[in-house]
Amino acid sequence: MTSRTMIEAIRDAHDVMMEREPNLVVFGEDVGFFGGVFRCTKGLQKKFGSHRCFDTPISENGIVGAAVGMAAYGLRPCVEIQFSDYMYPAFDQIVSEAARLRYRSAGDFSAPMTIRMPVGGGIYGGQTHSQSPESLFAHVCGLKTVMPSNPYDSKGLLIAAIEDEDPVVFLEPKRLYNGPFDGHHDRPVVPWSSHALSEVPDGYYRVPLGKATVRREGGAVTIVTYGTMVHVALAATQESGIDAEVIDLRSLVPLDEEAIIESVRKTGRCVIVHEATRICGFGAELSAVIQESCFYHLKTPIRRVTGWDTPYPHAFEWQYFPGPGRVADEIRLALED
Amino acid sequence: MPPAAAAEQPSSDALSLRVPEPHGRPGDAPAFAGLLNSRAGNVRRPPVDAPARGMEDLAASLIRVLDDDGQAVGPWCPDLSDPELLAGLGDMLKVRAFDSRMLMAQRQGKTSFYMQCTGEEAVACAFQRTMRPGDMNFPTYRQQGLLITAGYPLLDMMCQVLSNSRDPLKGRQLPVMYSARTHGFFSISGNLGTQFIQAVGWSMASAIKGGTAIAAAWVGDGSTAESDFHSALVFASTYRSPVVLNIVNNQWAISTFQGIARGDGPTFAARGVGFGIPALLVDGNDFLAVYAAAAWATERARRNLGPTLIEHFTYRSAAHSTSDDPAVYRPKAEHEAWPLGDPIERLKTHLILKGIWSEAQHTQAVDEIESEVLGLQKQAESFGTLRDGPPLSPREMFLDVYHEMPPHLQRQRQQAGF
């Protein structure tokens, strides 16, 4: 057991799997010699050689397209898109190719591969370094979509993603790379080393895809969330003194509907929290699932805290970013209605 | 008045665009003047291990082996045995007969859609003869000749076209979007150009694993405008992967002529030159020339000498698909005026000249193949068609979305009653 940052946990997952799985290849822009701009793949090229970990041209379309061909050959590519905001040139390869290959060929070919990409805001990244495109992926049949919230899950989920037989989009909340972030941008950053979930076992372990977890048990209201917003929701709960249950989804597809339904039936109230813009965001799907299965248990309407329906701004970051204040306000409204 | 509006006033300095136009439109006489820039046998053949630099002329000069009389001439004349030549002719005849029957099946309402490759048979049939078991083609929808030459059962192809109860793709794909891993034929996408870069990735994987298999990428002239085409060239040249990059320039992307993807610029083959990739321009209606270019390129790939780009210069004689009418956008007799002729006729003439074939044998072969294909069609239709006969279970609709069906899909399948 070693305390690790999320970056170190992700790097460790690569290391463990490159040892175990000779078909695992890792590539992307700046991923090889430099180890990635966030250093998630640092040292892999030196250890495993440039046939297994290498730099690519600046071509997201090329990275994912080549990975589809490699996966069809029998390799297990795990590729990095430097920022999720840059994945749009690769979107067709992800959506129309990787996700569909098994279906359209009736199992003749498949593309087991992992596409990692940093997501989310809180880093002054402006409108091209801060997006949260998870709902674009979650809408695509044949893809799995995962977003961890801590180092322990990052390693275990990434190992499960690499071993999965389907293409997995692995979204890494970049604001969490070096420490948990509760949305209070004006307070000193707390390092992961003081957090229980930074205790990451050495070697191999898995966190299964499609299984949510309860981060805080409570009876008054259920907060359904994932990624950075898990920490914001926990902060909002603690600061408001409200007895909320906080569910960390970890996987958006497959979605652990049972965990959500069980909690909302218990509390009778629900607040959904995500960074992505609201319209057609993943919260809309969550809201529908809860409505369909918990209607007679709901005491008040389902509420959503999300980014606004604007591009992610630079100078107004802390007005855009859903912080603990906004989350606490919505929790109170959910309780008052 | 805002300044922008002032700029809209006509001015002698006003800029304008050039929108390329083809040589002829309906009602015009076909015009192919200046198309043939080299005589058969006139283009040099460098050794396969020659460096790309200094080879630029090959991207501009049409490699032709069969001359106008049917003689095979020049340095690109391939070393094909008589049985191989006859088999090549047989493959092309089979493709044409298959296309003809499946077009008819579509007209009879037995399937929704079909795409012929009439006039382009030599490209796929000759190329496939240079591929080996284990190699992988990443085809477009007009390379049925790859499958037929590789010996894939026509019956299975027909069942896919008919989306019947024996459809290997379970009714999920458009007709003609075959998939046959065992025969080196990658699943066809339908989104154009996407598989050019996938082929490069596949060939990179072969190299990463120290394998011996190579890949062949396929794209049409129009689809060279897709970003995947450029991604493929940059990856293939960067990593020098064992792949052959094929562009089938059949002059027409539905109603849009090839100049819209090229302007008046250099050939499509010349796009390889800027990437340092050896590039060949080949007469796609000349079975021997296609075979020779493909053999040269596949040998380069197998000897780890890197990628080759081939532009197959041909003509799409038939409509783009059963949903298309070429009479509305090109001169009616254009395909008959194509100066590079018909690939089947040209190889037939050569074989007769060689003394190993005759008109009578040809007529008999055509009859035999057509009746074989008709017999197989009847057999295929006994397994149903898109609209009649034993159906596929709609249960298939929910399978293979994921390796294991996730709970939400299981619920939906139950809800749908399958």
Side-chain angles (χ1 to χ4, degrees), chain B residues 259-288:
Chain B
I260 288 289
R262 188 173 70 86
D264 293 334
T267 61
F268 289 105
R271 294 184 181 186
V273 173
F275 287 89
I277 297 175
L280 309 177
L281 176 65
V282 63
D283 176 354
N285 289 22
D286 179 343
F287 185 91
L288 298 184

Side-chain angles (χ1 to χ4, degrees), chain B residues 206-224:
Chain B
S206 181
I208 286 169
K209 293 301 285 180
T212 56
I214 64 166
W218 295 86
V219 76
D221 48 286
S223 305
T224 58

Side-chain angles (χ1 to χ4, degrees), chain A residues 253-301:
Chain A
V253 179
L255 178 65
D256 190 347
E257 294 187 17
E258 279 179 31
I260 301 167
I261 292 165
E262 186 185 334
S263 178
V264 176
R265 284 183 176 173
K266 181 179 81 177
T267 63
R269 300 172 199 271
C270 183
V271 176
I272 295 161
V273 186
H274 62 60
E275 266 188 81
T277 49
R278 174 168 305 201
I279 186 165
C280 296
F282 197 68
E285 173 65 23
L286 292 170
S287 181
V289 166
I290 294 162
Q291 163 73 11
E292 284 164 2
S293 299
C294 308
F295 179 75
Y296 292 108
H297 297 79
L298 285 170
K299 297 168 194 159
T300 56

Side-chain angles (χ1 to χ4, degrees), chain A residues 23 55 61 93 97 104 143, chain B residues 187 189 209 228 231 239 402:
Chain A
N23 288 318
D55 294 315
N61 169 270
Q93 286 287 346
E97 302 297 315
R104 75 173 192 228
L143 281 185
Chain B
S187 152
S189 170
K209 293 301 285 180
D228 305 78
S231 303
Y239 303 109
Y402 294 93

